[in-house]
Amino acid sequence: MIDPVRSLEARREQEATRREAVDKVTSESEAVALIADGDHVAIGGTCYSRTPMALLFALLRSRRRDLTVSRPLSSFEMELLLASGTASRLVTTWVGIGLKWGLPLVLRHYVENGLATYEEWSHLAIGLRYRAGAMGVPFLPGLSMLGSDLASAVGLKSVECPYTGERLAAYPALNPDVALVHAHRADKFGNAQVDGYFHMDVDMTRAARKVIVSAEQIVEPERIAAEPAQTIIPHFAVDAVVEVPYGAYPAECYGLYEADYGHFDDYVNEVRRAGADGARSYVERNAYGHEDFAGFLEAVGADRLASLGAAARQLVPAGATR
Amino acid sequence: MSAAAPPASAEEIMAVSASRLLSDHSVVFAGVGMPLVAAGLALRRQAPHLTIVIEGGIIGAHLYPGALPVSTNEMRAAFGAQMLTDVTDIFLLAERGFFDYGFLGVAQVDMFGNINTSIIGDRYKPTVRLPGTGGANDIISLCNETYIVTAHEPRRFVERVDFVTSPGYLSGGRSREEAGLVRGRLGGVVTDLAFMDFDDDTRRMRLRALQPGVSVDDVTERTGFELLVADELPVLEPPSPEELESYRELVGSGGEGGGAS
């Protein structure tokens, strides 16, 4: 069930790659053309925090098929990918929005009817899978998942420590074909900065073979160089850069806007009413129904977005984001 | 609080009991929902130097009264934090042994403290596909001492879980240690009816104390397996007016109880 470990192949590929420091700014739709049918796509952020929604909506519009998608914690975007036929296999630790919204009904429909696979890892395990991929090693050892049915369900192997003889879980490296992440700001070369928590984006973008960054703002390289410690993704790891203000909506973006809980309420009500068809009509209306993410945001309305911004500013310290 | 303040609800009794487990100058890794609220209450009461860790890369959370987080990864969870890092770093700190307590909610727990949040029925053809582990498997495997906080309902307390998402004492005896889980232990289970721990030898769940006004029969009737019962059963202190006031202020009218694990 576990995909073959590709750390050596990914390394060879990296050695053969010319990492040109050129203008990589492009459109949402051109950026996601880097993704092919059947690819493994890692999705940055976690749950409903800094989800690269603009890139995911572009991916939905591209009508790619049969993707494997991985994420630390997954939210309703996974259901959109399943219901639209974009993804058929999930590699993650959790799928839902939050207890307030109940069980994920579309996930249930697809998995319980054998229409999709959900490969479940513990949170540390998936983190160390990306980290092993980022480090260029075939696995990393750790102490989670031991003894549980999670381990047997995915076919996790263990190793004996050559020094102490202890048994350790061996988490296989994950080198996704493409990683999609949303950042607070980036320059045209792809140097990307994130404010607040960075989830698993650092490891994910080093592990992936191609990286697409959307950013709230594309800034001059001098602005990046003025605060170099904020940069979490170096330009040479990035293949495409897209500017999308509110590009994580309805997920949150630290310091800039809170998640839109009301939007989740509406989605869940639609799914409760119509099942997977509800998720499909959500995709039709919100992703297929607009040429780009700006069109979707226009339909959401500027006032609504502004109120999420005001809510965010109450929750973070002054100067937490620039 | 005025004399007219309403009496403690089942949820409040549970939250207050759980909060009292946390001592000052300690570090707790809390799941969102009831465990996090209990930790937040401890911080406002007996443990002002408690450090609350949340899996979304958040260390030293303080919680914004009336706007509690619905997930483990959002600004509401990060309010007042001392450090924001990545998710993997949080679990590695747990693996290193920095976290005194793990605090978890559950969908289903069995007589050995194993938790299921994955699959009801056959693992390859589930009757119900639940959301999954999130960080629960890691918390119970890695924190020094993990406590489960949950409503005492028969559907939650089952003899054996269909699927061990997060390992308690597995099949009892030394099976947890034999699986390689030698670093952390499961401390007990706090509910609205009782406090339970685990017998040292069999590692079976054992009734250890009762909430006020609750009988042994009340507990066993709402437990889907045979509970061991300790020889002495003290009655837990009811929530004090100060604890209740603090809890109600924290949860607030806009507070949300649920969230990702």
Side-chain angles (χ1 to χ4, degrees), chain B:
Chain B
M1 184 176 286
S2 74
S9 68
E11 196 163 87
E12 288 169 338
I13 288 170
M14 176 165 66
V16 168
S17 287
S19 77
R20 291 176 186 157
L21 293 169
L22 302 174
S23 54
D24 204 11
H25 299 283
S26 62
V27 183
V28 60
F29 191 162
V32 80
M34 179 53 68
L36 182 58
V37 174
L41 180 59
L43 183 72
R44 279 159 177 75
R45 303 287 312 154
Q46 81 281 4
H49 306 95
L50 177 70
T51 300
I52 301 175
V53 177
I54 306 174
E55 72 188 79
I58 298 159
I59 297 176
H62 278 72
L63 305 181
Y64 191 89
L68 297 181
V70 198
S71 78
T72 52
N73 337 262
E74 60 181 298
M75 285 174 270
R76 291 179 182 204
F79 180 74
Q82 296 149 355
M83 174 169 168
L84 299 179
T85 179
D86 69 51
V87 175
T88 307
D89 195 27
I90 294 291
F91 290 107
L92 293 176
L93 289 166
E95 193 173 67
R96 177 68 178 85
F98 283 110
F99 299 165
D100 300 291
Y101 306 108
F103 244 36
L104 287 177
V106 294
Q108 217 182 39
V109 60
D110 71 16
M111 64 195 296
F112 297 113
N114 301 305
I115 299 170
N116 180 14
T117 45
S118 300
I119 284 165
I120 309 281
D122 185 276
R123 67 167 67 175
Y124 299 112
K125 187 85 176 66
T127 314
V128 182
R129 207 348 165 155
L130 298 166
T133 164
N137 174 284
D138 311 289
I139 290 174
I140 205 169
S141 298
L142 304 175
C143 289
N144 301 350
E145 185 166 47
T146 295
Y147 288 92
I148 291 168
V149 188
T150 183
H152 209 127
E153 298 166 359
R155 67 184 176 95
R156 292 180 190 270
F157 285 78
V158 299
E159 185 157 331
R160 296 307 295 268
V161 290
D162 287 347
F163 187 93
V164 179
T165 307
S166 305
Y169 288 112
L170 296 175
S171 53
R174 298 276 305 160
S175 58
R176 180 181 165 98
E177 290 80 358
E178 283 160 8
L181 296 165
V182 295
R183 282 164 174 81
R185 57 184 288 271
L186 187 54
V189 183
V190 184
T191 76
D192 48 332
L193 300 185
F195 175 74
M196 283 137 312
D197 68 358
F198 294 87
D199 177 73
D200 286 342
D201 298 321
T202 64
R203 302 290 180 70
R204 278 178 55 188
M205 201 184 289
R206 171 174 62 188
L207 180 59
R208 200 58 200 276
L210 295 165
Q211 297 286 9
V214 173
S215 70
V216 174
D217 283 351
D218 293 336
V219 178
T220 54
E221 273 166 24
R222 307 202 65 178
T223 306
F225 53 86
E226 193 194 334
L227 263 182
L228 301 177
V229 179
D231 295 338
E232 281 180 49
L233 284 178
V235 175
L236 300 166
E237 281 290 313
S240 70
E242 293 75 22
E243 283 170 324
L244 277 181
E245 186 181 354
S246 214
Y247 176 89
R248 287 168 185 172
E249 186 194 310
L250 180 60
V251 172
S253 51
E256 307 285 1
S261 60

Side-chain angles (χ1 to χ4, degrees), chain A residues 48-49 93-95 99 112 118 120 122-124 143-145 147 149 152 166 197 199 252 255 257-258 261, chain B residues 55 73-76 86 88 95 118 123 125 127-129 131-134 137-138 164 170 181 183 259:
Chain A
Y48 52 74
S49 183
T93 74
W94 189 87
V95 185
L99 278 185
E112 291 166 18
Y118 171 6
E120 183 181 345
S122 86
H123 217 161
L124 175 62
L143 298 161
S144 284
M145 288 176 76
D149 288 333
S152 55
E166 282 174 285
Y197 27 55
H199 308 312
E252 66 156 31
Y257 45 94
E258 235 199 335
Y261 303 124
Chain B
E55 72 188 79
N73 337 262
E74 60 181 298
M75 285 174 270
R76 291 179 182 204
D86 69 51
T88 307
E95 193 173 67
S118 300
R123 67 167 67 175
K125 187 85 176 66
T127 314
V128 182
R129 207 348 165 155
T133 164
N137 174 284
D138 311 289
V164 179
L170 296 175
L181 296 165
R183 282 164 174 81

